[in-house]
């Protein structure tokens, strides 16, 4: 069975329109895969709330605004009825509150849910109305900031006024400095000749210092040469004295080695050495015998010669 081109074009157009509708709804925030419950909230003024604005619970988006309608309540007063589609997993109770507030600084408006009690005594069913409230808008939050800005502006204006007075004082001070500079220039002009003379004297004094330094250098060189010569003379004298002492010592040693001399004869005559040695031994024996037999060499008599004769007779 052949399908004509017209039917193919029609089917393609219908499918495209359906996809376009669902895509548009998806971009608006509709979630076709999540099951939702429908709740309502009445406000005197929605303050810029539009369809597809989020419904937020504790910072998390749990639904969206599906419709906004103008209608009258039971007292005949006009209100804005906001229809919300909220995730079916969220259980709302009779104490839950839908607060109209801001979604961030530049995020527009949003419905902020507050569940109230953790276990509500009376859960709400789909199609029920929620309690409503309004949070302070951006302007109410910005009012204290605006007051601070006004206070800062007043202080800044006061500071500018004080600076204007200070500017006058600064101008006067600059004028005084300019006058002082003129006076200084005048004094320099009047004393220019004296300054030139002083500078010339300083230059002459510098030259004198240079010449004096040269003379001092020459004098230092001469002093160093004189000190070197003096040291050399002292060293030569010391060397000469040492040579004399060595010559005397050599002469003494030569005399000691000469057998004809007295010291040489004493040092080199073996017989004299042996005689001196024997004499020393004899003296040692005599001293020992004198110590052991003193009566042999010393005769002490109490009664005179009679004792001595009797002793001899014995």
């Amino acid at each position: 069975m052949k399908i004509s081109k017209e039917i193919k074009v029609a089917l393609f157009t219908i499918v495209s329109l359906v996809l376009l509708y669902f895509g548009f709804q998806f971009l608006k925030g509709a979630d076709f895969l999540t099951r939702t419950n429908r709740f309502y909230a009445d406000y005197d003024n929605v303050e810029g709330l539009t369809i597809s604005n989020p419904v937020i619970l504790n910072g998390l988006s749990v639904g969206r605004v599906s419709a906004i309608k103008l209608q009258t309540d039971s007292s005949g007063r006009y209100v804005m009825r906001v229809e919300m589609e909220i995730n079916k997993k969220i259980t709302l109770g009779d104490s839950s509150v839908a607060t109209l507030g801001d979604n961030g600084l530049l995020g527009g408006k949003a419905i902020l849910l507050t569940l109230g009690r953790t276990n509500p005594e009376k859960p709400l069913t789909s199609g029920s109305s929620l309690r409503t409230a309004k949070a302070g808008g951006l302007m109410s939050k910005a009012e204290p900031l605006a007051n601070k800005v006004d206070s800062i502006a007043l202080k800044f204006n006061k500071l500018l006024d004080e600076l204007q007075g200070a500017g006058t004082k600064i101008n006067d001070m600059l004028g005084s400095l300019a006058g002082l500079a003129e006076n200084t220039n005048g004094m320099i002009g009047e004393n220019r000749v004296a300054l030139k003379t002083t500078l010339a004297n300083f230059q002459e004094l510098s030259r004198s210092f240079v010449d004096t330094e040269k003379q001092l250098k020459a004098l230092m060189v001469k002093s160093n040469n004189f000190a070197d010569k003096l040291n050399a003379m002292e060293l030569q004298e010391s060397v000469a004295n040492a040579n004399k002492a060595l010559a005397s010592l050599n002469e003494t040693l030569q005399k000691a080695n000469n057998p004809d001399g007295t010291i040489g004869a004493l040092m080199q005559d073996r017989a004299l050495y042996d005689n001196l040695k024997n004499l020393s031994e004899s003296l040692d024996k005599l001293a020992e015998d004198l110590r052991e037999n003193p009566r042999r060499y010393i005769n002490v008599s109490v009664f005179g010669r009679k004792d001595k004769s009797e002793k001899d007779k014995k």
Side-chain angles (χ1 to χ4, degrees):
M1 180 180 179
K2 294 182 179 181
I3 301 175
S4 62
K5 294 182 180 181
E6 290 79 4
I7 295 174
K8 291 179 180 181
V9 172
L11 291 174
F12 178 76
T13 303
I14 292 171
V15 172
S16 299
L17 291 174
V18 171
L19 292 175
L20 180 62
Y21 172 76
F22 283 104
F24 181 71
Q25 293 296 325
F26 179 77
L27 292 175
K28 288 173 64 177
D31 190 357
F32 300 104
L33 301 178
T34 304
R35 299 178 64 184
T36 59
N37 289 329
R38 186 168 295 175
F39 295 92
Y40 298 94
D42 296 334
Y43 299 98
D44 295 334
N45 188 348
V46 294
E47 299 178 356
L49 183 70
T50 60
I51 297 173
S52 298
N53 282 158
V55 178
I56 298 175
L57 174 63
N58 296 333
L60 178 65
S61 178
V62 295
R64 69 183 186 90
V65 176
S66 58
I68 300 176
K69 297 179 182 179
L70 178 63
Q71 62 182 31
T72 58
D73 57 4
S74 58
S75 62
R77 184 170 57 90
Y78 285 101
V79 295
M80 305 297 295
R81 170 154 288 193
V82 178
E83 180 182 288
M84 298 171 287
E85 292 183 359
I86 300 174
N87 193 329
K88 199 170 185 178
K89 295 180 180 180
I90 305 299
T91 301
L92 300 179
D94 56 353
S95 62
S96 299
V97 180
T99 304
L100 178 62
D102 296 323
N103 185 18
L105 185 61
L106 300 175
K109 293 291 182 178
I111 302 296
L112 308 177
L113 285 181
T114 305
L115 295 181
R117 293 188 297 269
T118 305
N119 297 316
E121 297 177 356
K122 185 179 180 181
L124 297 178
T125 60
S126 181
S128 301
S129 295
L130 299 175
R131 296 181 182 184
T132 59
K134 286 186 178 181
L138 182 61
M139 295 303 297
S140 62
K141 295 179 181 180
E143 185 175 358
L145 180 61
N147 294 332
K148 290 182 180 180
V149 172
D150 291 338
S151 177
I152 293 173
L154 291 174
K155 292 180 180 179
F156 187 70
N157 291 330
K158 185 178 179 180
L159 179 61
L160 289 177
D161 294 337
E162 293 177 357
L163 288 177
Q164 288 180 356
T168 303
K169 294 180 180 180
I170 290 172
N171 291 329
D172 296 339
M173 185 181 296
L174 291 176
S176 300
L177 289 175
L180 180 61
E182 291 178 358
N183 293 332
T184 303
N185 292 329
M187 291 175 62
I188 292 173
E190 293 174 357
N191 298 313
R192 185 170 297 174
V193 177
L195 288 174
K196 287 183 178 180
T197 304
T198 304
L199 291 175
N201 293 332
F202 273 118
Q203 290 178 356
E204 186 66 25
L205 181 62
S206 299
R207 294 192 190 95
S208 300
F209 277 134
V210 172
D211 296 336
T212 303
E213 183 181 4
K214 292 179 180 179
Q215 294 176 2
L216 287 174
K217 286 182 178 180
L219 181 61
M220 291 298 294
V221 171
K222 292 180 180 179
S223 299
N224 292 331
N225 294 331
F226 177 73
D228 293 338
K229 291 180 180 179
L230 183 61
N231 292 331
M233 290 175 64
E234 291 179 354
L235 180 61
Q236 289 178 359
E237 184 178 359
S238 299
V239 171
N241 293 330
N243 290 330
K244 290 179 181 180
L246 289 174
S248 299
L249 181 60
N250 290 328
E251 184 178 356
T252 303
L253 291 175
Q254 288 177 2
K255 290 179 179 180
N257 292 326
N258 188 4
D260 297 331
T262 303
I263 297 175
L266 292 174
M267 293 177 63
Q268 296 181 11
D269 190 352
R270 182 67 183 184
L272 179 61
Y273 171 76
D274 292 336
N275 293 331
L276 290 175
K277 183 178 180 182
N278 294 330
L279 178 61
S280 177
E281 290 177 355
S282 298
L283 289 175
D284 290 337
K285 290 178 181 181
L286 178 61
E288 185 178 357
D289 186 59
L290 179 63
R291 185 173 61 253
E292 292 177 354
N293 303 305
R295 291 182 179 182
R296 183 179 297 174
Y297 303 98
I298 301 174
N299 188 6
V300 179
S301 178
V302 178
F303 299 102
R305 299 184 60 177
K306 184 179 182 180
D307 292 337
K308 184 176 179 184
S309 63
E310 290 178 358
K311 187 176 179 182
D312 291 337
K313 290 179 181 181
K314 290 179 181 179

